[in-house]
Amino acid sequence: LSGTFSTTNTNWTDAIGTEVYIDVENDYGKSAYITWDATMKTSGGSGSISARLWDGTNNIAVQGSEVMLTSVSFTQVSSGQLALWRGKNLYKVQIRSLDSNEVTFGSGRVKVVY
């Protein structure tokens, strides 16, 4: 999920260039699950950023995928185990600033465990 993207928006904003199709069960088996990592930062010492995975096929946030950070240097944060809806769905990263300071998503990755 590459592509640096910055915003000051306090509403969820799509991080351009982070789209990926995932079909966990058909590609990895019924016992497979995913987690995800995001590398991100804020522009100021008091800024906070939040990121999540968005299921664009079903128009829902992936439950449990939201990660938050307050750091002026790029730092990696990880989610716990996530359950995705069945089938081949389009996922993307969404970010938001929690206080209108500039925040930046640097990169991310989806990890499949099976």
Side-chain angles (χ1 to χ4, degrees):
L1 305 172
S2 62
T4 302
F5 181 80
S6 298
T7 188
T8 58
N9 199 336
T10 58
N11 294 317
W12 289 110
T13 305
D14 293 345
I16 297 167
T18 62
E19 298 85 9
V20 63
Y21 280 96
I22 301 172
D23 187 343
V24 176
E25 186 174 320
N26 287 326
D27 291 341
Y28 303 101
K30 290 184 179 186
S31 64
Y33 65 90
I34 71 157
T35 64
W36 88 289
D37 300 333
T39 301
M40 50 194 189
K41 71 174 186 171
T42 64
S43 63
S46 63
S48 296
I49 181 174
S50 184
R52 69 181 181 187
L53 291 179
W54 179 260
D55 178 339
T57 303
N58 296 294
N59 291 316
I60 58 168
V62 175
Q63 187 173 11
S65 70
E66 187 174 348
V67 292
M68 292 184 242
L69 177 71
T70 301
S71 177
V72 295
S73 59
F74 278 112
T75 303
Q76 182 177 314
V77 291
S78 301
S79 75
Q81 180 176 330
L82 304 173
L84 302 182
W85 283 28
R86 287 188 173 155
K88 184 177 181 179
N89 300 311
L90 177 65
Y91 296 92
K92 57 186 156 187
V93 175
Q94 291 185 326
I95 68 169
R96 66 179 172 172
S97 172
L98 299 178
D99 50 20
S100 297
N101 286 320
E102 184 178 51
V103 295
T104 303
F105 171 81
S107 65
R109 65 182 173 173
V110 173
K111 297 188 289 186
V112 181
V113 180
Y114 58 100

